[in-house]
Structures are given as C-alpha cells and as structure tokens.
C-alpha cells in the first residue's frame, strides 16, 4: 500500500486535521514543530487531565493521582493520556489504514502543537480525550524538559510500532511478543524513566519490565476477546494465529455456540498457561521498586492481571461476555494491596484456587499445574505470606 504523505492527508477529514510540511533538513522534529513553551497562568489543563484520567483508566487513576510527588504524578498522567490517544487512533477501524499509520508515526510531533486536532475514537470518552488535545498539550509544555523528552520519545516509539502492526495480523508468538514490547514494555519503561528522572527510582532491567508487561498485556488480550470481536466495525484481534489456528479455522468462530466448547476452552487454557511463565520476572520487577507510590501502581496491575487470568482459565464465558473481576474483588485489590507481601500472598492464593479449576483431561493440565506450583514455591520462599492482607478469599472470586 502506498503510504500517505502528511501534505496529502490535509483534507482527511478537513475539519479534524492539521498536518505539517516535511521537517527541514538538519532540524529535529521538536525544533521544527515546537513553539516556545509558554507556562499557562491557569491550571485548567491539569484540571482536564486529572478529571479525564479516571474515565480512561478506571483501575489505576486513583493510584496515579495519589502519587505524593506532584511532578511525577503529572508526568505519568500526561504520558498515559498521550498513549491513550495513540490507542484511540490505532483502534478506530473507521479510519483508512494509511491514515492511521501516518498519524501514529507523526503523533510525537503533534504533541508540540496546541492547534493540532484529530477527532476519532470508538466511544464518547475516546472522542472527548481527542478533543482535549490543547489541554494535554498545555500540560505537556508545563512539565520539566527532561519529562517532555521522555514522553516524546515514548510516544515516538509506540506510534512507530503501532503503525508497523496496523496493516498486518498477529501471526506468531514472536509477533505477539514484539507487539507487547511496543504497547506495554514501552509504556512501563516510560513511567520508570520518569520515576528515575524525577525521584531517583532505579531503572529495572529490560527483562523484568518485559515480564510484567507480558503478564499484563497478554491477560488484557485474552480477557478482551468478546469486547473486541463484537465491535463495529470489526476491531483487529491480537490473539496469535499460531495458537488459535490449532483449534478453529477462523478466530470469529470461537464466539459461536456451535463451536466445540471443549476445544475453545483448551485454547484459553493454553494461552493462560503461557502467561503464567511471566510471573517470576514480574515479581523481580515489582520487588525492586523503592518508591511506595510507584510500587502500588504496578502491584495493583500485577494482582489484577493474575486475578483475571484465573477468571479466564477454563472458562467458556471468555467468548460469551465481557469477562472481568467483580467490583468487590477489585475493591479488595485496591484497598488491601500495600506491600510486596500482599503481592506474593495474592499470587499464592490465586494459584491455589486455580489448581481446583484445572481439568485433568486438558492436554496442558500437567504443565499448568507445574507452573502454578512454581509460583506458589516462589511465594513461600519469600517468607512473607504470614504478613499478607488476604485479597482472594474463595474460588468464587475467580469464577
């Protein structure tokens, strides 16, 4: 497909877009597109950012906004909103592929221009966020130069990566891992770089960041099947064909009652079992975080992920409805997650509960049980289980 130049996109749609001429040789994109940073007199832009964040991040808005260091709080908030804009552009299947690719690749330029507009999205909330570009632009320009540089770099990497995958399907497990690196390892690395710059938090090793990113993103992909498959126009699916093609001819078939439910459940179980391999690395990531506020962001993400993986395991309802943890279970996770002992405790309890869901007839039953036992042993070896707050209280929490 012929790529669409920025100047050639100027009239698509004319009311929504402002595009730039090619950057002058010898100038960086930031220098060519930026205007002097004028610090806003009012705080309307931060009011906007802090108000819309809970709308786009129900689970983690509170812990981000409660970070005790205002500049870290605002930098992570701004980065999150920028990346959600990229997500909106990537997911809006009403837009032509070449338009989405061009906007994704150039979004890191657009964040420097308060007048740029691109209204898109699949929900009213998505469009509200895109309409507020001038607000999160003003917030961005209000940050330290070091934070601006990190945010621009992260949006550039994620935008380019999303553009690469926009015209292609996720075929192999390697494709899946690469995409996870683009959308989640990049985001987590960005937040930790901000924490390193602003509060001196040591930057974790890449392998540990990739582990927790994989735990979270793969869980999100599995859990999101139903929401994605029913979207109109059809949303792109991110389950790797290498896995699902062993069970069905088309991934859409999994939503139909006439499909062999045993095979469908075995597919879910294979994918969940794969994700369990990332648990140990995710412990290494979270246990190394020194700042209590940053720790809580990722401890919550980690526990939500293992809880929803357990919910999806051996559960045909993955293909029938939007499957999520109950509100009271989520409230317990948020209210009772304080220390690493709570993380180990949650994983230990979930592993015990998941064992009761394993069907001996499942082809991967032995491997699943082995990985659950390995997780339990790590948690026991931490010698913190007596200190934990109990979060998952019964099998009903993951049913």
């Amino acid at each position: 497909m012929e790529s669409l130049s920025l100047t050639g996109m100027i009239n698509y749609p004319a009311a929504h877009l402002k595009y730039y001429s090619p950057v002058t040789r010898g100038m960086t994109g930031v220098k060519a597109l930026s205007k002097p940073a004028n610090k806003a007199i009012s705080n309307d832009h931060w009011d906007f950012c802090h108000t819309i964040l809970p709308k786009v991040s129900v689970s983690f808005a509170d812990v981000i906004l409660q970070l005790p260091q205002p500049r870290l709080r605002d930098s992570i908030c701004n980065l999150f909103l920028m990346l959600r804009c990229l997500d909106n552009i990537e997911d809006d299947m009403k837009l032509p592929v070449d338009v989405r690719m061009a906007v994704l690749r150039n979004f890191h330029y657009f964040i420097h221009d308060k007048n740029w507009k691109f209204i898109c999205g699949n929900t009213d909330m998505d469009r509200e966020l895109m309409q507020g570009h001038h607000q999160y632009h003003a917030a961005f320009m209000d940050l330290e130069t070091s934070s601006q540089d990190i945010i621009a770099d992260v949006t550039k990497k994620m935008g380019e990566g999303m553009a690469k995958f926009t015209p292609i399907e996720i075929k192999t497990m390697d494709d899946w891992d690469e995409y996870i690196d683009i959308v989640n390892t990049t985001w987590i690395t960005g937040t930790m770089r901000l924490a390193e710059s602003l509060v001196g938090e040591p930057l974790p090793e890449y392998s540990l960041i990739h582990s927790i990113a994989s735990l979270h993103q793969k869980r999100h992909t599995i859990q999101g099947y139903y929401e994605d498959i029913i979207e109109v126009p059809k949303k792109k699916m991110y389950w790797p064909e290498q896995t699902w093609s062993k069970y069905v001819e088309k991934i859409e078939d999994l939503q139909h009652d006439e499909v062999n439910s045993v095979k469908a459940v075995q597919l879910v179980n294979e994918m969940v079992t794969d994700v369990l391999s990332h648990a140990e690395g995710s412990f290494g990531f979270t246990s190394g975080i020194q700042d209590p506020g940053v720790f809580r962001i990722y401890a919550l993400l980690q526990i939500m992920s293992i809880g929803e993986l357990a919910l999806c395991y051996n559960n045909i309802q993955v293909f029938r409805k939007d499957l999520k943890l109950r509100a009271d279970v989520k409230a317990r996770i948020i209210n009772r997650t304080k220390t690493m002992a709570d993380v180990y405790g949650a994983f230990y309890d979930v592993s015990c509960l998941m064992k009761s869901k394993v069907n001996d007839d499942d082809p991967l039953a032995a491997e699943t049980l082995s990985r659950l036992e390995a997780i339990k042993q790590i948690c026991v070896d931490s010698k913190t289980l007596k200190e934990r707050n109990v979060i998952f209280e019964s099998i009903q929490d993951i049913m």
Side-chain angles (χ1 to χ4, degrees):
M1 179 181 294
E2 182 180 357
S3 65
L4 194 61
S5 69
L6 293 180
T7 52
M9 292 164 54
I10 197 164
N11 292 317
Y12 187 86
H16 291 169
L17 300 177
K18 175 183 177 182
Y19 293 101
Y20 301 99
S21 300
V23 176
T24 304
R25 286 186 183 275
M27 297 179 69
T28 65
V30 170
K31 289 180 179 177
L33 301 174
S34 298
K35 297 177 181 179
N38 296 318
K39 300 295 184 181
I41 296 175
S42 77
N43 285 321
D44 288 349
H45 50 284
W46 286 120
D47 290 341
F48 172 85
C49 292
H50 295 163
T51 299
I52 202 167
L53 181 64
K55 298 180 183 180
V56 301
S57 175
V58 176
S59 299
F60 303 107
D62 284 346
V63 288
I64 292 174
L65 294 179
Q66 288 174 12
L67 285 169
Q69 307 92 343
R71 303 312 285 175
L72 180 60
R73 173 201 66 201
D74 290 343
S75 294
I76 292 179
C77 173
N78 189 255
L79 173 61
F80 188 92
L81 295 178
M82 295 289 193
L83 300 187
R84 270 308 299 259
C85 289
L86 285 173
D87 193 50
N88 290 344
I89 297 162
E90 179 192 35
D91 287 347
D92 193 338
M93 305 299 282
K94 299 182 294 297
L95 298 171
V97 168
D98 49 3
V99 171
R100 280 185 284 142
M101 290 174 65
V103 180
L104 288 168
R105 285 189 173 125
N106 289 279
F107 185 80
H108 64 287
Y109 295 146
F110 302 149
I111 64 178
H112 295 272
D113 183 351
K114 67 180 180 181
N115 297 315
W116 180 78
K117 290 290 183 184
F118 190 90
I119 311 305
C120 67
N122 296 312
T123 68
D124 290 341
M125 179 273 293
D126 293 340
R127 289 182 285 275
E128 180 183 355
L129 176 61
M130 301 304 291
Q131 288 166 349
H133 174 83
H134 62 291
Q135 299 281 23
Y136 55 78
H137 157 82
F140 172 77
M141 300 305 291
D142 201 25
L143 297 173
E144 288 85 350
T145 301
S146 60
S147 294
Q148 291 179 16
D149 291 345
I150 292 169
I151 292 170
D153 182 56
V154 171
T155 55
K156 181 177 187 291
K157 290 176 179 176
M158 188 175 291
E160 289 176 345
M162 285 179 165
K164 174 182 176 179
F165 276 90
T166 294
I168 62 176
E169 299 296 326
I170 304 293
K171 294 288 187 180
T172 67
M173 294 296 285
D174 287 343
D175 290 341
W176 203 22
D177 278 335
E178 182 182 355
Y179 184 76
I180 287 164
D181 258 356
I182 289 165
V183 299
N184 218 302
T185 305
T186 302
W187 144 249
I188 295 174
T189 301
T191 62
M192 297 307 294
R193 286 172 63 191
L194 289 170
E196 179 185 42
S197 173
L198 295 170
V199 298
E201 179 69 41
L203 188 65
E205 296 178 8
Y206 162 80
S207 62
L208 300 181
I209 297 175
H210 181 69
S211 290
I212 195 166
S214 298
L215 182 78
H216 176 241
Q217 188 65 30
K218 288 183 177 181
R219 179 276 304 174
H220 178 73
T221 304
I222 296 167
Q223 174 264 329
Y225 174 91
Y226 179 78
E227 183 179 5
D228 290 346
I229 204 73
I230 65 170
E231 193 167 291
V232 179
K234 186 181 75 172
K235 185 175 179 180
K236 183 174 180 177
M237 302 298 293
Y238 291 93
W239 288 36
E241 184 177 343
Q242 180 181 349
T243 301
W244 62 255
S245 62
K246 294 186 291 185
Y247 298 88
V248 289
E249 291 186 5
K250 296 185 297 182
I251 193 170
E252 293 86 355
D253 293 342
L254 293 164
Q255 66 182 310
H256 302 309
D257 292 336
E258 61 268 22
V259 170
N260 187 324
S261 60
V262 174
K263 289 290 186 182
V265 168
Q266 288 176 354
L267 167 57
V268 173
N269 292 350
E270 178 176 345
M271 295 184 70
V272 171
T273 299
D274 167 77
V275 186
L276 294 176
S277 66
H278 300 295
E280 182 175 2
S282 75
F283 291 142
F285 173 87
T286 314
S287 63
I289 298 177
Q290 298 178 5
D291 183 88
V294 177
F295 168 82
R296 270 203 20 107
I297 292 174
Y298 290 107
L300 291 176
L301 180 148
Q302 200 173 0
I303 296 175
M304 292 279 189
S305 296
I306 194 63
E308 289 198 334
L309 282 169
L311 179 66
C312 292
Y313 183 79
N314 214 43
N315 193 343
I316 191 63
Q317 295 304 314
V318 169
F319 307 107
R320 307 288 184 263
K321 64 180 182 179
D322 189 12
L323 199 61
K324 295 180 179 179
L325 291 170
R326 299 194 316 269
D328 62 308
V329 178
K330 288 184 176 181
R332 266 186 263 139
I333 293 172
I334 293 170
N335 294 330
R336 299 182 186 180
T337 300
K338 309 294 183 184
T339 68
M340 196 63 203
D342 300 325
V343 176
Y344 285 126
F347 272 71
Y348 180 86
D349 292 338
V350 167
S351 297
C352 292
L353 295 172
M354 272 189 73
K355 285 183 65 177
S356 66
K357 294 181 70 174
V358 176
N359 184 340
D360 290 339
D361 294 330
D362 188 275
L364 290 178
E367 184 175 351
T368 305
L369 290 170
S370 175
R371 292 190 177 183
L372 291 173
E373 284 299 325
I375 292 171
K376 287 175 58 181
Q377 191 60 52
I378 293 170
C379 298
V380 170
D381 291 344
S382 74
K383 302 185 185 304
T384 63
L385 295 182
K386 292 182 179 179
E387 305 167 17
R388 75 185 187 274
N389 291 309
V390 176
I391 296 171
F392 294 92
E393 298 175 342
S394 73
I395 190 64
Q396 298 306 314
D397 287 343
I398 58 170
M399 294 293 288

